[in-house]
Amino acid sequence: MKPVSVVKVDNLKALRRFVHFPNQLYKNNIYYVPQIESMDLDTMNPAKNRAFEVCEGAYWLAYDAEGHICGRIAGIINHEYPLRCL
């Protein structure tokens, strides 16, 4: 098994790579509908997405041994959710 490194997305260039990855991964799949990357960037932008008033998110990219992106991870915490469950 080849080693994989996971790196936190901490700048706009890395966030653009994060958003672009699915379109690159599935580019030859005739059933895949490409995402509109600008809309995904807006979704992940706290200034444009009101969900970030009660949520926080973090994103990571996985790189293979050759330095190519081979996966992505998103973590989102909704701080309001536990209050609504009580």
Side-chain angles (χ1 to χ4, degrees), residues 13-32:
K13 186 175 181 180
L15 186 60
R16 289 181 191 275
R17 288 184 188 139
F18 182 92
V19 168
H20 180 68
F21 177 67
N23 289 343
Q24 180 66 30
L25 180 65
Y26 298 112
K27 69 181 177 185
N28 295 322
N29 185 323
I30 62 171
Y31 301 107
Y32 178 68

Side-chain angles (χ1 to χ4, degrees), residues 22-50:
N23 289 343
Q24 180 66 30
L25 180 65
Y26 298 112
K27 69 181 177 185
N28 295 322
N29 185 323
I30 62 171
Y31 301 107
Y32 178 68
V33 178
Q35 304 194 50
I36 300 172
E37 294 180 16
S38 63
M39 291 179 71
D40 283 352
L41 285 169
D42 287 349
T43 298
M44 297 176 186
N45 183 345
K48 295 185 178 184
N49 185 346
R50 293 194 61 197

